[in-house]
Amino acid sequence: MSTTSRVTEEPSRPESELLRMEGVRKTFPGVVALDGVDFDLRRGEVHVLLGENGAGKSTLIKMLSGAHRPDGGRVLVDGAPVRIDGAQDAERLGIATIYQEFNLVPDLSVAENIFLGRQPRRFGMIDRHTMYERAAELLARVGVDVSPRTRVRDLGIARLQMVEIAKALSLEARVLIMDEPTAVLTTEEVDKLFRIVRRLREDGVGIVFITHHLEEIAALGDRVTVLRDGRSVTQVPAATDQDELVRLMVGRSIEQQYPRERADAGEPLLKVEGLTRDGSFHDIGFEVRAGEVVGLAGLVGAGRTEVVRALFGADPYDSGTVEVAGAPLPRHDVVAAMAAGVGLVPEDRKGQGLLLDASVQENLGLVSLRSATRAGLVDRAAQRRAAERVAEQLAVRMAGLDQRVRTLSGGNQQKVVIGKWLLADSRVLILDEPTRGIDVGAKVEIYQLINELTASGHAVLMISSDLPEVLGMSDRVLVMAQGRIAGELTAHEATQDAVMALAVKDVKGADEGVGVTEKEGPRGN
């Protein structure tokens, strides 16, 4: 087991300083992830770590959590150099991390996950009564109405995030690292989280906060350290203008946040009629034409993801029809959907969209593998050439096509998920939360890609909980409520107020139990 060495506190450090990283460096095969990064954190502050995907943010926080060791530089806690060789070292130093990807065991209860490895005991046995009681207190503290006995696999994404936060609070950490904690939360849930963070700040906890929602920085932060290409380029107040933050982060100005280039709509490529699954959605009907982006908006639990998974064939439905370019699509048949030219970029890119331990090339070729096979043999040379072309088109930042997807940044992983459908030449592309957890620069790149797709006659159906994104990129907006289509808005008619009015609408004839609606709305500015 590693030991934590301490030296006399250096007098040059502010008394309020909890943590300091000096000249930290980390390399991976073919990649310099961090190159002399400096960072510090004080008691009772929220220090925002800002940068594009691939700038080095994840590597930095993995050093503090014990997942990576620096190749150079040093880390100090309370002014003393320390070694963090694993999660136990980090916990002993009072450092807790809430990752963007959940670190929960699906088949255990909420309480068992919160206290995993630290269960309260009595007479040598796990004291379940105390564990459930303490878990209930933590869940109440984060404002989530979930029984501590509920299995984690039965929770939605937003509640999983709140369980992660409760788990971190149970450690009573002095340093709390939050990696995109609001990415999957609705506006009301974000407000609850911010209240929790502010209370922790008042208690003297130092918080490292990573976000791609720039409006959150001034609302919550105190200072901002900007990383670019593995280097710490500057430190500025959290009140710094958003345009300036973008310029510092990406090294250039971004003139238009939602650069939608509208094309003339052609023939219907996707047509859905009467799509119904008992208890989830009812009588869903719409069409998406060539050259169109149709946004699908609604509250958490309105049934948006369930509908697109069903029409793609990933989940069954009871009745209704789906047509692609006028030809009926067999129900519950993913292979048929892909053969017809339908592609789905799922909201959970790591769990459903990628093979994390496979290479970039292997992931890009997943969908087109069948078409690249002749007489039982895969034309690997042709696949590699195609993968190189798509990776270049999407500007995937990587050491090479043989790099494991797991080691890419979130934004570059998302580009690979989209790229495999481009390689398969999908005519209808369904994007479920396409920019979740992606920096503003990568978002604009994906928006430009959407423009290229529609300009070349493709159809795009986009689900997003980021309401400004839906309004900025959609030609038409369909709003779901209680498992039904509550209304349709043109780009001119679609405003935040108009969408929300439909999203909370009490849809006439809605079946009991269809669509688990909540009071929270989608994310807005």
Side-chain angles (χ1 to χ4, degrees), residues 109-121:
S109 70
V110 168
E112 288 168 330
N113 270 279
I114 290 174
F115 293 104
L116 189 63
R118 303 174 290 110
Q119 297 95 332
R121 293 181 176 272

Side-chain angles (χ1 to χ4, degrees), residues 197-209:
V197 171
R198 291 184 182 111
R199 284 201 303 268
L200 292 170
R201 180 169 56 185
E202 291 170 1
D203 292 339
V205 176
I207 297 159
V208 182
F209 197 88

Side-chain angles (χ1 to χ4, degrees), residues 27 50 120 172 206 224 230 278 284 289 291 296 308 318 350 354 434 439 445 461 469 495-496:
T27 61
L50 186 65
E172 298 182 354
V224 180
D278 187 39
I284 301 298
R289 294 175 174 270
L296 195 56
V308 298
D318 299 322
K350 290 198 172 183
L354 294 167
D439 67 75
E445 290 176 352
L461 177 63
E469 178 175 80
T495 64
Q496 292 200 26

Side-chain angles (χ1 to χ4, degrees), residues 30-339:
V31 178
V32 178
L34 294 177
D35 189 10
V37 168
D38 297 320
F39 180 79
D40 68 281
L41 180 68
R42 299 167 188 166
R43 294 179 180 85
E45 79 160 346
V46 176
H47 194 151
V48 178
L49 197 58
L50 186 65
E52 288 189 276
N53 294 108
K57 304 185 301 295
S58 294
T59 303
L60 186 147
I61 65 174
K62 284 178 179 178
M63 283 184 180
L64 294 177
S65 65
H68 293 325
R69 286 191 59 191
D71 299 326
R74 61 178 186 165
V75 179
L76 302 95
V77 174
D78 293 331
V82 298
R83 284 181 56 175
I84 308 175
D85 289 334
Q88 289 183 336
D89 285 349
E91 185 177 330
R92 186 166 56 251
L93 291 165
I95 301 171
T97 304
I98 301 172
Y99 288 106
Q100 186 178 350
E101 288 79 35
F102 305 130
N103 190 24
L104 300 169
V105 182
D107 288 321
L108 296 182
S109 70
V110 168
E112 288 168 330
N113 270 279
I114 290 174
F115 293 104
L116 189 63
R118 303 174 290 110
Q119 297 95 332
R121 293 181 176 272
R122 181 178 175 138
F123 305 125
M125 305 288 289
I126 295 176
D127 185 350
R128 294 191 173 275
H129 175 76
T130 299
M131 182 176 69
Y132 290 133
E133 193 173 67
R134 288 169 59 186
E137 292 171 358
L138 289 165
L139 293 168
R141 187 177 175 189
V142 300
V144 60
D145 184 18
V146 172
S147 167
R149 300 174 185 270
T150 302
R151 281 196 316 169
V152 160
R153 72 163 57 255
D154 296 328
L155 299 179
I157 289 178
R159 285 185 167 84
L160 289 175
Q161 178 69 84
M162 303 308 278
V163 171
E164 282 278 22
I165 295 168
K167 180 179 177 181
L169 293 181
S170 74
L171 297 170
E172 298 182 354
R174 298 187 306 144
V175 174
L176 182 59
I177 302 167
M178 310 183 82
D179 184 9
E180 290 284 348
T182 66
V184 297
L185 304 183
T186 61
T187 300
E188 184 169 324
E189 289 164 339
V190 170
D191 291 341
K192 291 178 183 177
L193 174 64
F194 280 16
R195 288 195 292 270
I196 293 166
V197 171
R198 291 184 182 111
R199 284 201 303 268
L200 292 170
R201 180 169 56 185
E202 291 170 1
D203 292 339
V205 176
I207 297 159
V208 182
F209 197 88
I210 297 175
T211 182
H212 291 311
H213 293 285
L214 298 184
E215 71 277 4
E216 295 176 355
I217 295 174
L220 194 65
D222 297 298
R223 291 186 293 159
V224 180
T225 288
V226 181
L227 297 185
R228 191 195 313 150
D229 297 328
R231 297 181 177 90
S232 45
V233 294
T234 191
Q235 187 181 106
V236 295
T240 301
D241 180 76
Q242 287 187 21
D243 290 340
E244 176 64 8
L245 290 175
V246 171
R247 189 191 66 78
L248 292 170
M249 181 171 59
V250 304
R252 68 187 189 279
S253 296
I254 292 179
E255 303 301 331
Q256 192 175 358
Q257 191 174 3
Y258 303 106
R260 176 68 182 131
E261 298 172 4
R262 306 190 190 281
D264 292 334
E267 295 298 314
L269 285 184
L270 176 67
K271 187 173 184 180
V272 179
E273 290 185 343
L275 205 67
T276 298
R277 185 170 76 224
D278 187 39
S280 293
F281 50 83
H282 185 80
D283 197 25
I284 301 298
F286 62 87
E287 64 181 28
V288 186
R289 294 175 174 270
E292 263 194 322
V293 177
V294 173
L296 195 56
L299 305 183
V300 173
R304 297 168 299 167
T305 294
E306 290 81 359
V307 166
V308 298
R309 282 181 56 83
L311 68 87
F312 181 64
D315 294 332
Y317 55 90
D318 299 322
S319 60
T321 60
V322 179
E323 293 183 2
V324 178
L329 198 63
R331 69 177 63 183
H332 204 191
D333 191 338
V334 171
V335 174
M338 292 191 298

